[in-house]
Amino acid sequence: MRNHLISALGLDRAKGFLLRYGWDCGNNFSNHLRRKDAYHTLTLKELFIAGSHMHGITADLGISVKELHIDPVTKDYYSEGYWKHSQEAEHHIATFGLSSDPVCFTLIGFAGGYVSNHLGRKVIFKEVECEGKGDPHCHWIAKPVLGLGRRNRKRAALL
């Protein structure tokens, strides 16, 4: 599907579609978890860790969370981690060759939709390294769109 979207729409419009599709999938998965009995016994941190494990299983990739900072009161959030063996990157390389920009659009969309739904504020995931560019792994950083807490302002300046 990805190659048809890019061929028909161009890379930028296909990227927008795939980001929104991933976002909706992550948001829907978060809503699905909310209906489970065990949901109310979990902390935000436990929900995010469980979400990363489920994301790895459903997307068939390795996930390693390097940093995860959550303040449940202020909704301050920062996370950083790695994806390995991204099928999205592998498919892009096989079809279009190496890219000059990150290509894991549905992965970052899914993660953003899932985390934003649970946190109650918009959180954006950004790939800073990508296997689709020839990097050894996909490296992502995530933070809220607005209102960063003091702790994360320095990190945000680096993005």
Side-chain angles (χ1 to χ4, degrees):
M1 177 177 80
R2 177 189 188 89
N3 57 330
H4 297 298
L5 284 170
I6 292 172
S7 296
L9 303 175
L11 184 60
D12 287 339
R13 289 182 63 200
K15 175 183 177 179
F17 174 85
L18 293 167
L19 281 167
R20 285 188 300 278
Y21 172 73
W23 187 279
D24 287 346
C25 289
N27 187 59
N28 290 338
F29 186 71
S30 176
N31 285 331
H32 175 74
L33 285 182
R34 287 179 190 274
R35 293 189 294 271
K36 302 294 179 190
D37 291 336
Y39 171 82
H40 301 289
T41 65
L42 299 173
T43 66
L44 275 176
K45 188 169 189 168
E46 290 169 333
L47 282 169
F48 294 144
I49 291 170
S52 70
H53 289 298
M54 290 306 296
H55 190 201
I57 292 167
T58 58
D60 191 24
L61 71 148
I63 296 181
S64 172
V65 178
K66 180 181 170 186
E67 285 189 60
L68 178 59
H69 302 285
I70 307 161
D71 185 324
V73 175
T74 65
K75 305 295 186 194
D76 194 24
Y77 181 88
Y78 177 85
S79 68
E80 184 174 351
Y82 302 93
W83 292 314
K84 285 213 166 251
H85 313 297
S86 163
Q87 288 185 17
E88 196 166 5
E90 291 171 2
H91 179 72
H92 188 90
I93 292 168
T95 307
F96 301 104
L98 289 175
S99 176
S100 57
D101 295 311
V103 299
C104 297
F105 312 132
T106 56
L107 290 177
I108 60 174
F110 182 98
Y114 178 87
V115 169
S116 296
N117 188 319
H118 282 301
L119 194 61
R121 70 185 290 197
K122 192 171 186 178
V123 174
I124 299 296
F125 279 65
K126 179 179 180 178
E127 253 188 308
V128 293
E129 291 179 279
C130 181
E131 291 173 350
K133 295 178 9 183
D135 294 324
H137 49 248
C138 299
H139 177 194
W140 49 265
I141 295 173
K143 61 180 183 171
V145 173
L146 298 172
L148 292 173
R150 245 183 321 159
R151 178 181 187 141
N152 293 330
R153 284 194 186 112
K154 280 187 181 179
R155 288 187 183 107
L158 299 175
L159 298 178

